[in-house]
Every structure is written in C-alpha cells, then in structure tokens.
Amino acid sequence: MKIYPKIPSKRINRWARARRGSPWAVKVATVAFILFLGFTAVTIVTFAFISKDLPSPYKLTNREVEQSTQIFDRSGELLYDIYGNKNRTLVSLKDIPQYLKDATIAIEDKSFYTHQGFDIAGIARSFKEIALDHSLSGGSTLTQQLVKNTLLSNERTVTRKVKEFILSVQIEKRYSKDEILQIYFNEIPYGGTAWGAEAGSQQYFGKAVTKLSLVESAILAGLPQEPTYYSPFGAHPDSYKIRTKEVLKRMRDDGYITKDQQTKALSDLEAYKFQASGNGLIKAPHFVLYVREQLVKRYGEKLVMSGGLKVTTSLDYKLQEPAQKIVTDQVAQEGSNYRYSNGDAMIMNPKTGEVLAMVGSKDYFAKDYDGQYNVTTAERQPGSSIKPINYVTGLKKGYTAATLFLDQKTDFPCGVGCPNGVYTPLNYDRTFGHGTGGLILMRNALAQSLNVPAVKMLALNGVQSMIDTAHEMGITTLQDPSRYGLSLTLGGGEVKMIDMVTAYSAFANGGLRVDPVTILKVVDPKGKVLEEFKPTPGRRVLDAGHAFIMSDILADGNAKLPTFGAFGVQTLSVPGHTIAVKTGTTDDIKDNWTIGFTPSYVVGTWVGNNDGTPISGRLSSGITGAAPIWKKIFLKVFEITKAPQESFNRPDNVVQIAVDAVYGTKPVGGNPTKLEWFTKSTVPTNTANVKTLRLCTDQKKLATPADEAAGKAYDQVFVNVSDAFTKGQWSPFDPPTEKCNAYRGGASGTEILASITSPADGSTQGPAFDVSANAAGPYPITKVDFFLDGPNLVGSSTTSPYNFQYSAVPPGPHVISIKAYDTQGITGTASITINIAAGSPAPSVLPPGQEKKHP
C-alpha cells in the first residue's frame, strides 16, 4: 500500500484522492506548495530587509533642500547656475489651477484618486521591461514619482524600484491624496532651474501659477516626464508641442475638457510665445543647454538639477562672447540685404576636440524668430563645403592633386527620380570650359569649387565610399546611402555644423580625428571628481599625406583666384597666417557656409533662415554671408590668443615635384610646369598622351588641301583625359579620323568652297579698289568671275591667286560677288557688301573680255 503525505489544502487532498493511481501528481503538488511557501517567505524577508533602511515618509515635509549645479567655462567663468537665479516657492493646492491638476493627472496618473500608491498595470509593464527590455522605466504613479524625486536616488535598479513601491504605499497611508498632490506640485522638476509648479510657471510663462490658461497648464504638465528634452528652451525646442498635444488628447479622452476647448487650446499652442529663458541670466545659452543635455544622459535629471555638481566646460568665454557679437552684428547689418535672418558659428581645437565657442543663433533670447533653435547641432545642407571629403576619398583611391579633369557638360545616369534618367550638373556660374580649354587639375577644380569635376570625382569614388569617409571623419548623418546620388558632393545631404567642424579637424590634425569635447571636469558637492577629460592623440581616419595635401589645396589663394578674384581671396585669408578654407552654398540658395582651419583652430560659420526660405542668389559666390563672419572671428581668435603663424606639418611620405602645368603629368616638351605635392606612391611616371591635328574650321574633321587653300584650317591639340567619370576620353573631343567634305559650301552642301578675302565685309572703299578671292575643291578651279551689284559681270580671273581691280564705282553701298568653276562644272559663290565714299566719279564698267587684270 502507498502512503501519501498529508497536505493542508483540501483541494489538493481531493485531487490526490482522485489520483491515487498517480503518485507523481501528489509529488508535483507538494513541490509546488513548498515553492509557494518559499517564495512567500523570501518575498517577506526581502521586503523586510529592504524596508529596514528606508527613509521616513515624513521626510517629504522635513528634508534638506537640494544644491544647485553650476556650469563654468574653462577659466572658471560662471555660465549658468541651475538654482542660482530661482528660489523654490511653495504653493497650496487651492492655488493650483484646476486645468493643471487635471492635465497632470490625465497624462501622468489617471487613477491617482483610486489607487493605493501603485498601479498594477504599471508594475506589470515595469517587470516586462526589466525581463525583456532590460530597462527600468514607466509604470510610476504620481506618488512613486514623488518618492523617486524626493526620498530616493535616481539609480536604475530593481532594489530602488522595490523601495519606491514600499514608500509609496506608506505615504498613501500617512497623507491624503490632496496632500500628496500638493507636495508633488511643489517638488517635481519642470526643467532648468524650475522645481515646483510656481517656479515652472514663472520660468516659462512669466506669471504666477494661479493665472495659467488651459494651454499653459497642458504645456507645464507635459514637462516632468523629461524636462530637459521637452523644455521649449532646450536643444529640441519643438518637442514640447508634440507632448502638449498628447496631454490635451488625454484630457479630452478623460472628460476634463470638451472638444471645443481642445481645438481652441491646439490653436493657442501653435501661436504661443514664451518668456525668454532665465531673463538673460545665462551665458552661452546654446552651449550650456547642449552640455546640460549631455550631463542628464550621464547622471540623470535629478542629480544634474539638484545634485550640487560643479561642471567645468571646454568653452572659452573670451572667444564665445565676441563670436556671438560678430554673428549678431553681421546678421543685423547684412541680413536684410541678402534675405537671411540667422547665423551661427563654432570654434574648436582640432588637436583635442575641445569646443571653444558655440554660437547657435544670432540671439538666443530674440522674440522675432526662433532664437532657441541651435543651428550648430541642426541638420542643414552644406553645399560645396563637403567637397573636400569627396576629394580626399579620391586621394585614398590613388588620385592626386594633379589628376586631370575635363570641365564640360556631362550627363550622368542617375536612375529613378531624375528627368530623363540623367543628372547634368552645372558649375556655380552656369558655364563650362574652366581651366585651359576645359582641362583642369584637381587642385584648381577644388580651389575654384567647380561642380562638374567634383561630380566626376564622386562618380569614380562611389557614393558609398564618400559616405564611409564622411562617417570616419565624424559626420553622424547620411545614414541611408540609398537616399543620395552624385549630387551628394554638392551638398545634397543634410549634416550638422558640429560634425563638419569635427571632419575638418581631421584635416587640420594630420588625419587624426578627435571627437568634440564640451565637458572637462565634473565634481560632486563633497569634492569627488566624477569625471575629468584627458586629451588623447585621436584615431587615424586619413593618411597624414592626404590630410596635408588637402590642407595645402584649401590654403592655396592663387588656385582660388579664377573663381573668387582678388577680393574673394582676400576675404578668405588673414594676413600673416596660413589658413585652409572652403565655402559652400546650396544649389537652392538656402544655406551659406564657410569652414576654415589652422593647425590649432577650426572655425565654422553659417547664415540662412531657420525655416529654409531661400536667401539672396548674390551669396552663391561664397564670399559674402558666412565668409565675412568667419574672417572676423578668426581675426578675433588671433587677437585674443596671440596665436603665431603656423604651417601644416608635411609628413615624410609627401614630396613636391614639377609636373606639366596643363596635364599634371611628367612635363611635356614646350609646356609650362608647376610644383605639386604627391604621396610617394602616387608620383606621376607617365607623360600626357597628346597629339596635334590639322582640322577644318566648320566640320572639326581632318582638313583637306581645299580647306588649306580656302583658309579654313587650324591646328587642334588633343590630350587623353583620365578624369573621374570620362576615363580615357580625349579633350576637347575625340580626334577625328574622317576628312572634311570637299564640297560643302552654300546651302546645299555640295558647292566649291569660295570666299572673298579682301576687302573686309562692310568696309568703306574709294572708287577704285582690289578684290581678292579664294576657291578650292577636289578638282582644279578653271575660273572665278567677279560681279557688281548682282548680275553685272565686271571681270574674271583664271589663275590663283584670284584678283580683280574694280574702278570708277559710284558712291554708296554695293554688293561684290564672285562665282568659281571647276573642271566638273561644280560652282561656288561668295559675296560681301562695301560702301564707296562720296565724291567718286561716274561708273565706268568694262564689258566682259576687256576687264583690267591685276598685275
């Protein structure tokens, strides 16, 4: 007989008796029950252990005030005191507008007045995120948020979540719902220096919380979830609109407002104007907010906003302040003339990546436009300023600064989205043929910012290769190569100013990329250093020789002259300093850039309109708009830092040799030469494939003796061009192999070539003058007849040169004509108009056969 253990559960006993023939079932039930008891015991012990060190719930109303976080520039200049210009102002719940109460409950905790401090569905979501997403977020009631922000740390652990749960239950037992809500509105962070609803209302709206409207209440209620991100004064100034719309929707769904109220509030939201953040008590606001966002990502909102951190940044306020003034003044002086309303600037140390100045707009506090929009971190099209990244990709593939390009109209296949499936780029001046008869070397093509050679360079590099180089150099956008075609080298993709300055830093730093640095040191209130920046050499993303050659090209004022002229070259240079610089203007004239560098400083500038409205086409040359700002800032940098003249360091793998000035190869006999830099592995060893052919002037084919006799032949030089797209093409066109058509005069194209070589058409003559003519064809010429005013034959000539002397021609205009004949009966004609001066004698035209022959 089998013996079963006694189990307290009557249900299990009944189940066991029914299953007396299955002993394993009883064992399973027994184990399950034991596990249940064990889990319960462990849970109780765990909760007891965690609870023993919990803070008292009464600390909600009796606790220490948090310390402010201060942000300094590199020399100790205070930029922003997060608590320094605001005090916490306590308000009673009765002073909180009903709109704000309803909006907060609707978006944060719709069951606030019915739960016991926790939300079962929210907890389930939290455990799901812990188990599946390995994150700790969501699921918090208003009570839990209050606990997290007042009694606990911001650590993201399961233990902290359990503590939060226990304290929330305790607080719900000790305080009424209204008391909890009142404490919440006085303690929760609303961003910036604002802790509590009153401070938030004053900071964003400049009014007491009691006076908030529906739309203002909805805006404020949406902030606590992520105050830094949703702040209208932050780095994402439009995000608050999306959040506010969600708040209003929740209020409508929960019955707090009517549909008409929602519609009116949405309309008010679009037109709403905020009070300027901090009333100007913040220095370098775009930079400070950028740093604050980085700090929040590293340390959490609570520690940054109230942890008493001392943050030393990379910013040099001695450079920031004048840079801001230069941008502001230039936009005020020239913006209306060129139809742009905003500008930005950045200064970076390319050796360390330290951001020395960040001017995000002409005026952060301006009310006539969106001054909070930080253009240095926004995505804009860079125009031709991105061309150096394309050309350095070509250097990586073995092309050189002396690679020969053919600047002529070229149709590039471009697939879907192009008219007729082709892309035909135009140069900035809408013409072709720059250089020597359309032949131009890479150095000059880049320095003069020609579009056709740049597109040819990209056609050989490949779009993916250029994007790979861009990413290696620090560009964080351009993530979907399928979006871009050959126009990418002309600025057809969006990039950020901070990324472009980083990329140019790789040129300045000999091919080593150093990522942007804004935070140098963070210290907590006890003096503990939480982080400290230590400069590193950076990582190599370009060959040092390629970086040097690109820097040398961008610093070559002589190579820029044909495009920019003397005034432009002067604008893009600073006397006494070697500076590499590139301008860029988008094809649709919406963005205007200038970026330049020395080995110690990179300066980038931009002008345009936040909304993408086109600026004046007069900025397309690249030397107005951003360029004057760029030069003024560099002048100020040199003045303040006393920086000496610096040259770009030439690495050992770079040599300078003489090449043919036109073809970029080993010198061709009789041609001028020039000095060019090459990496040792790319020194040219070939001589240009050049030949000279004699062509006829009207058909561009090989000239015949008839063309020579008619004076219609010339010499044409052909060179084989190995450029980025038309590799192996001859310039200016393929050498002809066919001879010119012998009979091609007249409208029919089957006449003898005949011409009057003198006198000149339209000239004035006396009553007697000589007429000379040419006639040529494949067969011998037998005769040339001379006529006056149509059919009047006045003479003939049968030997070359064919001449006849007219005499006694009356004053006034006359038509001189000739007609030539050959042995096959083929003819050819030509005519001119002359004028006989007044006072000439009466005509004396001799009949045929008696004409006077020219000696």
Side-chain angles (χ1 to χ4, degrees), residues 348-368:
M348 182 184 286
N349 181 339
K351 298 174 182 177
T352 63
E354 293 169 85
V355 176
L356 303 176
M358 176 186 281
V359 178
S361 71
K362 68 176 183 182
D363 181 4
Y364 181 88
F365 302 104
K367 297 181 179 180
D368 62 330

Side-chain angles (χ1 to χ4, degrees), residues 432-452:
F432 306 99
H434 297 82
T436 304
L439 300 175
I440 192 162
L441 305 182
M442 179 195 286
R443 171 178 291 271
N444 302 86
L446 172 56
Q448 296 172 35
S449 200
L450 299 178
N451 293 341
V452 175

Side-chain angles (χ1 to χ4, degrees), residues 40-61:
T40 302
V42 170
T43 301
I44 293 173
V45 171
T46 300
F47 269 68
F49 178 78
I50 292 176
S51 299
K52 69 183 180 67
D53 294 323
L54 284 178
S56 169
Y58 292 108
K59 282 191 175 181
L60 280 178
T61 54

Side-chain angles (χ1 to χ4, degrees), residues 428-429 434-435 440 444 447-448 557-566 569:
Y428 68 95
D429 58 0
H434 297 82
I440 192 162
N444 302 86
Q448 296 172 35
N558 289 330
K560 294 184 177 81
L561 270 173
T563 292
F564 295 96
V569 172

Side-chain angles (χ1 to χ4, degrees), residues 816-853:
I816 305 297
S817 303
I818 64 168
K819 186 173 185 180
Y821 308 82
D822 68 8
T823 58
Q824 302 300 308
I826 305 299
T827 63
T829 61
S831 63
I832 62 172
T833 299
I834 63 169
N835 184 62
I836 302 300
S840 300
S844 175
V845 180
L846 300 177
Q850 299 182 25
E851 65 272 11
K852 181 177 179 181
K853 300 289 180 66

Side-chain angles (χ1 to χ4, degrees), residues 784-833:
V784 174
D785 288 339
F786 293 82
F787 299 87
L788 179 67
D789 296 328
N792 299 314
L793 178 66
V794 295
S796 300
S797 177
T798 57
T799 58
S800 179
Y802 306 103
N803 299 318
F804 182 77
Q805 186 180 64
Y806 285 69
S807 62
V809 178
H814 296 277
V815 176
I816 305 297
S817 303
I818 64 168
K819 186 173 185 180
Y821 308 82
D822 68 8
T823 58
Q824 302 300 308
I826 305 299
T827 63
T829 61
S831 63
I832 62 172
T833 299

